[in-house]
Amino acid sequence: MRYFKLSDDVAVPRRWHLGMIVTVGGGEADLLGGVACAETHLQTHFSHSGEEVDFSLTSFAVPVARSSLAAAIEAVGGRDVQRLPLYIPGHEGFEVVNALRVIKQWRSA
């Protein structure tokens, strides 16, 4: 079985940090449960404004990527990845990368 874990370097200076992703109506979007999201109009705000980066995790660990990177992730992940357009004020071309198949973490004693 192949699986991938993407991480975010939050130590990059002067970079943005994105907050919760919500629907246009203000409801919270479920993007971490491994299920498809029916919402097509998602938006976020900055928890800290700064320079955009090609990939980041929101404050709640939701992957956000530039559209070209999201397409590359989808090329590897296939049907296990859902791409959703994301509105970020003042920035264009970003998407939520929703993992449709997740692996439960295990811990050794």
Side-chain angles (χ1 to χ4, degrees):
M1 174 190 297
R2 292 182 347 163
Y3 65 92
F4 302 90
K5 180 178 180 179
L6 299 174
S7 60
D8 185 3
D9 186 356
V10 296
V12 173
R14 297 178 303 281
R15 57 156 286 166
W16 69 11
H17 293 274
L18 301 173
M20 183 186 324
I21 294 178
V22 296
T23 65
V24 172
E28 187 175 347
D30 180 15
L31 296 165
L32 294 175
V35 297
C37 179
E39 291 292 332
T40 56
H41 295 88
L42 300 174
Q43 60 189 9
T44 190
H45 65 279
F46 298 101
S47 57
H48 294 64
S49 62
E51 295 180 32
E52 62 185 43
V53 291
D54 291 338
F55 176 82
S56 62
L57 297 174
T58 68
S59 298
F60 299 93
V62 175
V64 172
R66 190 174 302 279
S67 295
S68 57
L69 177 56
I73 294 168
E74 180 184 44
V76 173
R79 294 187 316 218
D80 293 332
V81 174
Q82 179 186 26
R83 295 169 51 197
L84 300 159
L86 180 63
Y87 173 72
I88 304 171
H91 301 272
E92 293 183 11
F94 286 89
E95 300 178 10
V96 170
V97 180
N98 186 21
L100 300 179
R101 183 164 45 153
V102 296
I103 299 170
K104 294 183 180 181
Q105 264 187 325
W106 61 273
R107 297 178 193 214
S108 59

